[in-house]
Amino acid sequence: MSPSPTKPSGTPDSPAPRARPTWLRWIFLAFAWTAGLALAGAFGLALTIAVALAVAYPNLPDISDLADYRPKLPLRVYSSEGALLGEFGEERRNLTPINEIPKVMKDAVLAIEDARFFQHGGVDYKGVVRAGLANLGRVKSQGASTITMQVARNVYLSSEKTFTRKIYEILLTFKLEHLLTKDQILEIYMNQIYLGNRAYGFAAASEAYFGKPLKSVSVAEAAMLAGLPKAPSAYNPISNPKRARSRQLYIIERMQENGFITADEAASAKKEDLKIRSGPDNTRVHAEYVAEMARQLIFTQYGNEAYTRGLNVYTTLNAGEQEAAYASLRRGIMDYERRQHYRGPEKFVALPTGAQEVEDAIDDALANHPDNGDVLSAVVLEASARKIVAARANGDVLEISGDGLKPVQSGLSDKAPPNIKIRRGAVIRVVKTPKNAWEITQLPEVEGALVALDPRTGAIRALVGGFDFDKNKFNHAAQAWRQPGSSFKPFIYSAALEKGFTPATVINDAPLFFDAGTTGGQPWEPKNYDGKYDGPMSMRTGLAKSKNMISIRILQAVGPKTAQEWVSRFGFDAEKHPAYLTMALGAGSVTPLQMATAYSVFANGGYRVNPWLIAKVTDHKGRVISETTPPVTSEQPRAIEARNAFVMNSLLQEVTRSGTAARAQATLKRPDLYGKTGTTNDSVDAWFAGYQPTVAAVTWIGYDTPRNLGSRETGGGLSLPVWINFMEKALKGVPVMEPTVPPGVVNVGGEWFYEEYARNAGVASVGLEDRSSAAPGSSATTPHAPPPAEERNRILDLFRN
């Protein structure tokens, strides 16, 4: 046998290493490269984000002003008692501190928008995961935006959806969470978010949709409001009630799931029948013309800031009297409208036969013919000479017959023209009568105004500038320059008292004629309203009966130039009352507000007061910015002597006792009423101006384009009833006031005289001839007591003409 081989020295005993498989080497290399690339990518991403943050963070807006959150707040106008009259601004918002927002409203918002709001730091990572899983699982989709993120987005960022904006949103979110407390962030959200119907914030939305303050909302109402932030239009309970209801029910469930309400409360909330406001706020005081006046005054002072600073403007208006003025004027105008010929339906629409199609057609037709206060719109379904059946937008079907058809008899006649004929598809107007029956009417073409002042201070207590502000925004109370007619006569009489005339002065009510040579133009033959002449009568009787010839003769004696200067004491513009004899008949131009101011001089004992409206302006926190102190009457400039005002009161009281306005004292059952009717030529303007010592009020009715109101329409028949209806409410509970006799007047034989004329009060009138007519330009006027010598001689010269 051959010997075995021997190991070389130094050779190890372990076997030689095996070579690694090629595939394993490639896996290792791939993993290494992948890890390296991932680390590099992560590093690059981190570097990119760091650079982005470094660049973006300094460019973030300064949010320190949110610590003192001041959103755009509208201008609000209030009555003296605090009743809201109007609101102006793009954003309707009631800034409400977080501690005044009811818990149920906060719970509803948190349940649907951000249940973990008080646990996360601005970005809810759990919420992001939960929303992703919910969305992948195709259950009801959930959002991941927190309330803080929504505040950042809504206050500072645009609505564009880009990666850059998202970075800014997250950065702003962290910045907000660092700067503000959770309550501050929630307060901003609850006040800032847009909720439809021009409402920003939940307080404004509660008023807009439910007509109630936020503190009064129920669980069901809070859930309905909480559904609006996601899509104010889609979930609007007015325009999309079904979708709004669906979201409300879901939010109620979320409130229960999050422990904000119990199962019983949830069940009760789901059953609650909500009363959604679907039309204008009929509970608000009707003072649109006053609110607009206040807006203009504030805008003049503050410019466009007036609509964003949250200014609260408190006016001198009395809410109760304002409502009385509004109702009285509308009633007077509608009573006049009943006496007018029927002008026909407002529109004709073709009604299909299908029930649903008919309902849709009615909705479309009436959308363009909305209700006007208590004058409602309807579409005729059936028409005959004895009965009209009409449908309202709310689905109510009305039957009108009997007296309710009287105002539109011409439209029911077989011979009625096509544009007048009431037939199926006609858009008509209806009103409820005092007997609770329906009556067909029409929107009036005539306009009117009523203004009332406190004659002691000039404060405006009520003002209605027209039948309907939406229909005609022209403020007739303050802007309409019209002829005052006989309501201007008292100012001529007042001037006459200073020229020796007394209430007992005898003046001849006889015809007058002025030829072209006298007038310098066309011949003029004025007449009394009734065309009758009663001969000699006292100045008191002449005013009570509103005799034109008496007024003209008085103005002849006083002198037109003197009278023009005198009336300017009452606040009238002299240039608007040319110094001609036609001034005696009120041929100049005045506004109702100007007339109320002028009559206030008589009411307050002779002082000139200026009308004013704004009593106080505060900021949104109630801090007073400006305030007006009511003027003291006795500190105002004196327009006429107290005795002149006293005697004029006596004369104007006679008008309301036995004259053309006797209905005033007869209806209101009190003697402390004073005033004068006024009707212009051809019955174009109808006036009544009057007062009680605590309130002076003027009413006017006429057409914007002057035209005849009707041959039998007068100030006593048209405007006086409006004045009486208003004063009935304005004077409720006000005691009767007896005037104080001022120095310088005495009573002789039951009549008042200036003291210097009293000694001759019993002397018979002199220089008065028994005339049935007067020569051209003549006067038959005799003062009862001697005036100053120069004036007496001039008057006597007129007697002899």
Side-chain angles (χ1 to χ4, degrees):
M1 291 180 64
S2 58
S4 352
T6 60
K7 294 181 183 178
S9 62
T11 302
D13 295 334
S14 59
R18 295 179 181 179
R20 292 179 178 175
T22 303
W23 64 271
L24 185 62
R25 186 168 60 252
W26 280 109
I27 289 177
F28 175 78
L29 289 174
F31 176 79
W33 275 101
T34 301
L37 290 173
L39 288 173
F43 178 77
L45 179 62
L47 183 62
T48 301
I49 292 175
V51 172
L53 293 178
V55 173
Y57 198 84
N59 293 324
L60 290 177
D62 180 13
I63 63 173
S64 58
D65 57 342
L66 279 185
D68 184 20
Y69 175 58
R70 294 183 181 182
K72 291 181 180 179
L73 297 173
L75 168 69
R76 291 188 175 92
V77 182
Y78 297 91
S79 71
S80 59
E81 307 92 340
L84 183 63
L85 306 180
E87 195 173 32
F88 303 92
E90 293 181 6
E91 300 181 4
R92 183 187 300 163
R93 180 185 281 111
N94 295 326
L95 184 58
T96 309
I98 190 66
N99 58 353
E100 294 180 17
I101 298 174
K103 183 177 184 299
V104 66
M105 189 69 252
K106 290 185 282 190
D107 289 346
V109 169
L110 293 175
I112 189 63
E113 294 295 334
D114 193 353
R116 297 187 65 255
F117 173 71
F118 286 100
Q119 282 76 51
H120 62 67
V123 177
D124 186 6
Y125 303 105
K126 291 183 179 180
V128 171
V129 174
R130 184 180 63 252
L133 293 175
N135 296 337
L136 287 174
R138 295 186 178 181
V139 298
K140 185 180 272 289
S141 62
Q142 298 181 13
S145 287
T146 65
I147 283 178
T148 312
M149 293 169 73
Q150 292 184 58
V151 169
R153 182 165 62 244
N154 292 330
V155 176
Y156 291 108
L157 302 176
S158 66
S159 58
E160 62 175 344
K161 294 183 178 181
T162 63
F163 180 72
T164 302
R165 198 215 66 174
K166 197 64 180 178
I167 291 177
Y168 275 99
E169 181 180 312
I170 293 173
L171 291 176
L172 274 173
T173 297
F174 290 135
K175 196 171 183 180
L176 285 170
E177 289 278 348
H178 176 71
L179 178 69
L180 306 176
T181 66
K182 287 289 187 178
D183 276 348
Q184 285 177 308
I185 294 171
L186 187 58
E187 178 180 304
I188 294 170
Y189 177 83
M190 300 287 280
N191 284 283
Q192 181 71 22
I193 194 76
Y194 177 63
L195 300 172
N197 267 27
R198 288 182 51 236
Y200 288 78
F202 288 93
S206 179
E207 293 284 356
Y209 293 108
F210 301 121
K212 61 164 61 175
L214 185 61
K215 63 182 180 181
S216 303
V217 297
S218 64
V219 172
E221 290 167 335
M224 181 68 78
L225 295 176
L228 291 166
K230 182 178 181 180
S233 177
Y235 297 112
N236 186 313
I238 297 174
S239 56
N240 289 301
K242 291 182 180 179
R243 295 187 67 179
R245 171 66 173 164
S246 175
R247 184 155 177 81
Q248 178 213 28
L249 295 176
Y250 173 63
I251 293 174
I252 292 173
E253 292 172 0
R254 292 278 298 161
M255 293 178 73
Q256 182 184 349
E257 291 171 7
N258 284 278
F260 293 129
I261 58 175
T262 65
D264 289 341
E265 288 173 326
S268 177
K270 290 178 180 180
K271 295 177 183 178
E272 184 177 333
D273 183 21
L274 300 187
K275 291 180 173 60
I276 306 295
R277 173 186 288 172
S278 57
D281 184 4
N282 293 322
T283 63
R284 180 177 291 184
V285 177
H286 288 284
E288 295 85 355
Y289 292 96
V290 174
E292 174 60 17
M293 289 173 68
R295 182 199 68 79
Q296 292 177 14
L297 290 170
I298 295 299
F299 179 79
T300 300
Q301 185 172 358
Y302 294 96
N304 287 325
E305 281 191 1
Y307 307 131
T308 60
R309 288 183 56 175
L311 298 176
N312 297 312
V313 181
Y314 293 88
T315 66
T316 58
L317 217 67
N318 179 287
E321 292 180 17
Q322 178 64 27
E323 277 299 288
Y326 173 82
S328 298
L329 182 64
R330 284 179 67 94
R331 175 180 170 184
I333 289 177
M334 291 308 298
D335 285 346
Y336 169 78
E337 196 60 46
R338 287 186 182 92
R339 302 192 291 271
Q340 308 311 301
H341 70 277
Y342 186 55
R343 296 183 292 275
E346 296 179 17
K347 185 181 180 180
F348 296 94
V349 295
L351 294 181
T353 55
Q356 185 59 50
E357 290 80 2
V358 168
E359 185 177 326
D360 292 341
I362 290 173
D363 288 343
D364 291 342
L366 298 185
N368 296 320
H369 298 268
D371 294 341
N372 187 302
D374 55 353
V375 184
L376 312 179
S377 57
V379 175
V380 174
L381 301 178
E382 302 174 23
S384 70
R386 294 187 176 182
K387 185 176 73 173
I388 295 290
V389 178
R392 297 261 299 120
N394 61 5
D396 290 349
V397 177
L398 319 176
E399 284 194 9
I400 307 106
S401 59
D403 291 343
L405 299 179
K406 283 185 177 180
V408 295
Q409 282 298 310
S410 60
L412 297 173
S413 170
D414 292 336
K415 298 180 180 179
N419 64 318
I420 302 295
K421 181 72 173 175
I422 298 178
R423 57 185 184 272
R424 178 178 168 82
V427 177
I428 60 172
R429 295 282 170 171
V430 295
V431 292
K432 266 287 182 66
T433 67
K435 296 180 180 179
N436 202 34
W438 290 107
E439 179 182 85
I440 301 180
T441 185
Q442 56 190 344
L443 285 177
E445 292 181 344
V446 75
E447 276 293 353
L450 190 157
V451 58
L453 307 179
D454 183 334
R456 299 162 295 187
T457 64
I460 296 176
R461 292 171 57 166
L463 186 147
V464 185
F467 179 79
D468 179 67
F469 182 77
D470 292 330
K471 176 172 168 277
N472 187 345
K473 292 180 172 55
F474 183 74
N475 188 340
H476 299 84
Q479 297 174 297
W481 291 93
R482 309 293 294 221
Q483 289 189 343
S486 296
S487 62
F488 195 75
K489 289 175 181 177
F491 307 106
I492 305 301
Y493 278 59
S494 173
L497 293 178
E498 301 303 312
K499 297 299 182 180
F501 283 75
T502 76
T505 299
V506 178
I507 307 161
N508 195 12
D509 177 32
L512 284 168
F513 176 79
F514 302 92
D515 58 25
T518 303
T519 64
Q522 296 295 319
W524 183 43
E525 187 176 9
K527 299 181 182 301
N528 287 326
Y529 172 76
D530 57 7
K532 299 177 181 179
Y533 304 92
D534 296 334
M537 64 180 63
S538 69
M539 191 166 83
R540 175 181 293 277
T541 302
L543 185 62
K545 292 186 175 182
S546 196
K547 291 291 188 175
N548 291 339
M549 301 304 106
I550 303 295
S551 297
I552 293 172
R553 284 189 162 93
I554 290 175
L555 183 56
Q556 277 186 297
V558 171
K561 186 64 178 175
T562 299
Q564 183 190 45
E565 295 171 355
W566 184 261
V567 301
S568 65
R569 293 167 173 253
F570 296 84
F572 295 116
D573 303 321
E575 64 274 12
K576 290 187 179 292
H577 299 274
Y580 301 117
L581 291 179
T582 52
M583 190 197 313
L585 307 185
S589 296
V590 299
T591 68
L593 180 58
Q594 200 176 47
M595 286 290 279
T597 305
Y599 269 77
S600 293
V601 174
F602 295 140
N604 65 30
Y607 295 97
R608 168 79 182 278
V609 294
N610 292 316
W612 56 288
L613 178 63
I614 296 179
K616 182 173 65 176
V617 179
T618 71
D619 63 14
H620 71 280
K621 292 185 177 180
R623 294 174 296 208
V624 176
I625 297 174
S626 64
E627 190 167 8
T628 301
T629 302
V632 178
T633 308
S634 59
E635 295 178 0
Q636 301 308 298
R638 181 168 281 286
I640 58 176
E641 291 186 9
R643 64 178 186 171
N644 186 299
F646 178 82
V647 175
M648 286 307 305
N649 286 344
S650 175
L651 292 173
L652 291 170
Q653 187 180 39
E654 189 67 35
V655 177
T656 65
R657 187 187 70 82
S658 66
T660 55
R663 192 191 309 183
Q665 288 195 35
T667 303
L668 297 176
K669 309 296 183 186
R670 55 189 302 154
D672 57 341
L673 303 175
Y674 315 82
K676 183 70 187 73
T677 54
T679 310
T680 60
N681 277 350
D682 298 322
S683 297
V684 170
D685 299 277
W687 294 81
F688 185 77
Y691 55 91
Q692 189 268 353
T694 62
V695 56
V698 172
T699 57
W700 165 85
I701 291 177
Y703 288 98
D704 278 337
T705 302
R707 61 185 172 95
N708 189 283
L709 288 163
S711 59
R712 298 184 179 181
E713 304 294 352
T714 64
L718 267 179
S719 291
L720 177 59
V722 175
W723 187 89
I724 291 174
N725 287 336
F726 167 72
M727 293 295 270
E728 185 174 20
K729 297 176 179 61
L731 296 179
K732 188 174 182 179
V734 177
V736 172
M737 301 180 67
E738 292 293 335
T740 302
V741 181
V745 293
V746 294
N747 190 288
V748 178
E751 188 57 274
W752 294 101
F753 298 87
Y754 280 10
E755 194 171 39
E756 59 267 33
Y757 305 147
R759 65 183 182 277
N760 295 314
V763 177
S765 300
V766 294
L768 179 64
E769 298 178 8
D770 183 11
R771 307 176 186 176
S772 60
S773 62
S778 69
S779 171
T781 311
T782 307
H784 189 82
E790 66 279 5
E791 294 299 330
R792 183 171 183 272
N793 290 336
R794 190 160 70 86
I795 293 172
L796 290 176
D797 286 341
L798 287 170
F799 299 158
R800 301 186 183 100
N801 287 343

